Amino acid sequence: MEQRPPDAEAGARVLVVDDDPTVAEIVTGYLDRAGHLVERAGDGPEALARAAAHRPDLVVLDLMLPGMDGLEVCRRLRDHGPVPVIMLTARGDEDDRVLGLEVGADDYVTKPFSPRELVLRVESVLRRARPAPAASGLLRAAGLRVDPAARRATRNGAELALTVREFDLLVFFLRNPGRAYAREELMREVWGWDFGDLSTVTVHVRRLRGKVEDDPARPRLIRTVWGVGYRFDPSDGRE
């Protein structure tokens, strides 16, 4: 019997949304064996109804759904508060993956995929979404105030609605100001993966800029270092 890592996050409520009953059954089976409480939905309206009745800890969401597609489902889920989303897509077009990230997905897996890899992705996102009891104290810079333990962030006193990955990225930048990081390094340090589509990092940086910069088109906090990656520079801030 395959054993789970000792730090794996078990017992989460996971909503699996896929109109392919075979895929949904396989994903549900693997997540169930990993110790999670799994609900299934075959389309967007059913998914939203189930999420409204019992708020999930994470949603595994197919992009290609009948009627209301996964992008719209993700938007509507996010309208009711932050919830981690892993997008499933059968498409090979990078634009579709980027669109999923743009509307708030935390990660994506391209079909066909390994169910074991999907479980690892689910548990990686869940670990980062849950407050860490040993997390360090408040982080402050440039009008930002971040509490890693409570997973709350404000800008000039206003609450920021951040996805799991956006929050982790902001915490990482606040803890490591002034140094330029390559996208590969950010993928490893923030996502916990040694490989992956680096456009994931690009999209999340762009989304984060939209929430923490005065003018996202001319960022002063999260700067692009051409030929390298990104650098957090709070020197222009108020704190």
Side-chain angles (χ1 to χ4, degrees):
M1 179 182 295
E2 182 182 4
Q3 295 193 356
R4 301 172 64 232
D7 61 341
E9 294 291 344
R13 182 184 294 274
V14 180
L15 176 60
V16 175
V17 188
D18 200 306
D19 64 318
D20 185 329
T22 301
V23 172
E25 184 175 352
I26 292 172
V27 171
T28 298
Y30 270 82
L31 289 170
D32 181 70
R33 287 192 291 275
H36 301 295
L37 178 62
V38 187
E39 287 191 89
R40 287 168 53 175
D43 57 36
E46 183 183 2
L48 294 173
R50 288 187 178 275
H54 300 286
R55 189 70 175 171
D57 297 308
L58 182 141
V59 179
V60 177
L61 177 62
D62 187 28
L63 176 64
M64 298 294 291
L65 293 171
M68 184 188 303
D69 65 17
L71 296 176
E72 182 60 25
V73 175
C74 188
R75 288 190 190 97
R76 297 194 185 191
L77 286 170
R78 297 287 301 166
D79 285 344
H80 294 284
V83 58
V85 174
I86 295 179
M87 194 79 77
L88 301 180
T89 174
R91 296 178 176 178
D93 192 343
E94 182 180 351
D95 290 342
D96 294 311
R97 300 196 295 272
V98 169
L99 278 174
L101 297 171
E102 288 281 12
V103 299
D106 294 280
D107 206 346
Y108 70 87
V109 177
T110 304
K111 297 179 180 179
F113 57 85
S114 161
R116 289 185 179 87
E117 178 191 352
L118 177 60
V119 171
L120 290 174
R121 296 277 184 125
V122 165
E123 293 180 340
S124 172
V125 173
L126 285 171
R127 275 195 298 271
R128 293 176 180 272
R130 292 177 173 174
S136 62
L138 295 177
L139 301 171
R140 295 184 178 90
L144 296 166
R145 183 179 184 273
V146 178
D147 184 343
R151 294 193 70 86
R152 294 186 61 190
T154 61
R155 178 175 181 265
N156 299 329
E159 191 90 14
L160 293 175
L162 302 175
T163 67
V164 172
R165 300 300 191 189
E166 289 166 2
F167 186 91
D168 293 339
L169 188 59
L170 179 59
V171 168
F172 184 81
F173 279 138
L174 284 167
R175 286 176 173 165
N176 299 277
R179 178 187 161 183
Y181 285 90
R183 291 188 299 168
E184 293 87 348
E185 291 180 286
L186 293 172
M187 175 71 76
R188 183 172 59 253
E189 297 293 335
V190 178
W191 277 257
W193 297 97
D194 292 320
F195 60 91
D197 185 350
L198 296 180
S199 65
T200 299
V201 178
T202 305
V203 171
H204 278 81
V205 167
R206 182 163 63 244
R207 284 179 55 84
L208 185 58
R209 281 171 167 166
K211 298 176 181 181
V212 304
E213 298 279 1
D214 290 329
D215 181 359
R218 298 180 179 179
R220 300 174 66 183
L221 293 176
I222 306 174
R223 297 179 178 271
T224 298
V225 182
W226 296 108
V228 180
Y230 304 101
R231 183 184 70 243
F232 182 71
D233 185 2
S235 58
D236 290 325
R238 289 171 292 281
E239 297 183 19

